[in-house]
Amino acid sequence: MNVNIDPSWKTQLQAEFEKPYFKELAEFVRQEYRQHTCYPRGKDIFAAFDHCSFYDTKVVIIGQDPYHGPNQANGLCFSVKDGIPHPPSLVNIFKEIKVDVEKPYPKSGNLERWADQGVLLLNATLTVRAHQAGSHQNKGWERFTDAVIQTVSKELEGVVFLLWGGFAKRKANLIDKARHHILTSGHPSPLSANRGLWFGNQHFSKTNVLLAQKGKPLISW
């Protein structure tokens, strides 16, 4: 099956694309995009991989579902397109960065600038029907993105995984802890952040310390 994705990832994931579940998933997604408004745009479904090639991957952030409002989702978890108001979780991410690494709160919520530096912004589910959160869950995307995490774990070394909230933390069992670093905290959503489970985690400065220890370029958050 021909999937339009960055060649470095295509080489690593080709066997996954040939499996029956993925063919069923691809047909489901095609039908959904034909019959309903879905996000992100078709050409952005694999944007996380297109902006962050396999061998450039230094950090992995795991989200759950794309934003399901108009013009929000751009294929990167927690990210929105330029000019779109920042959703609450993204606001809290930027607030933590401002305190942690003393970086001014940015105008744009488009995180392509992170992805281009080697941050894989991976949603567990890569598509969603408009205004219906979770509508494309349990159709095969989670199996695919779990395979992505396992491939990164097996084939790369010294990657920093940022697992925010209960859903992301459950992905820790897919990661070889002897080869990689895992940082966990509460989710940046207001519900979690307001209970003191997000602010002060210092994940952005800690990530750069770990990258520096491996002699890797730091992320400009």
Side-chain angles (χ1 to χ4, degrees):
M1 167 173 205
N2 186 40
V3 175
N4 188 19
I5 192 172
D6 178 86
S8 67
W9 286 101
K10 193 160 195 172
T11 301
Q12 295 293 329
L13 300 171
Q14 188 59 49
E16 212 63 30
F17 297 139
E18 300 300 333
K19 291 180 179 177
Y21 89 87
F22 194 89
K23 294 177 181 180
E24 292 173 14
L25 168 64
E27 183 55 33
F28 166 77
V29 170
R30 273 194 291 268
Q31 290 286 357
E32 284 285 296
Y33 274 71
R34 270 193 219 112
Q35 297 171 7
H36 306 279
T37 299
C38 296
Y39 302 119
R41 294 177 302 179
K43 71 185 188 70
D44 291 335
I45 291 173
F46 294 105
F49 305 89
D50 295 332
H51 282 275
C52 176
S53 72
F54 181 73
Y55 290 105
D56 288 337
T57 302
K58 303 195 291 279
V59 181
V60 177
I61 299 176
I62 298 174
Q64 192 162 359
D65 221 24
Y67 297 120
H68 52 83
N71 298 315
Q72 289 182 302
N74 67 350
L76 313 177
C77 72
F78 295 105
S79 174
V80 291
K81 295 179 183 179
D82 292 321
I84 298 299
H86 302 174
S89 290
L90 187 58
V91 169
N92 286 337
I93 288 170
F94 287 150
K95 284 181 177 178
E96 175 61 22
I97 288 171
K98 184 177 180 181
V99 174
D100 184 21
V101 296
E102 299 180 348
K103 194 110 189 237
Y105 190 102
K107 183 177 180 181
S108 174
N110 191 336
L111 302 182
E112 288 176 2
R113 59 187 183 272
W114 293 5
D116 292 337
Q117 297 176 74
V119 181
L120 180 64
L121 293 160
L122 182 67
N123 273 318
T125 303
L126 298 188
T127 57
V128 69
R129 195 185 291 185
H131 310 299
Q132 296 186 38
S135 50
H136 288 186
Q137 290 177 5
N138 303 314
K139 301 295 183 181
W141 277 130
E142 296 91 340
R143 181 171 170 182
F144 171 71
T145 52
D146 280 358
V148 170
I149 295 166
Q150 289 171 309
T151 300
V152 170
S153 176
K154 182 181 176 186
E155 301 296 334
L156 300 178
E157 262 192 64
V159 174
V160 183
F161 289 83
L162 303 182
L163 308 183
W164 300 336
F167 177 84
K169 288 176 186 176
R170 289 195 289 275
K171 303 296 182 181
N173 62 2
L174 304 173
I175 303 162
D176 184 344
K177 297 163 189 63
R179 294 166 64 91
H180 303 283
H181 306 283
I182 300 175
L183 300 179
T184 64
S185 84
H187 196 274
S189 68
L191 182 66
S192 177
N194 292 341
R195 298 207 317 263
L197 302 175
W198 165 256
F199 291 115
N201 67 22
Q202 299 181 317
H203 276 193
F204 306 97
S205 60
K206 288 176 180 177
T207 293
N208 277 343
V209 168
L210 292 168
L211 293 175
Q213 289 171 354
K214 293 285 186 181
K216 297 182 179 183
L218 308 187
I219 304 299
S220 175
W221 299 107

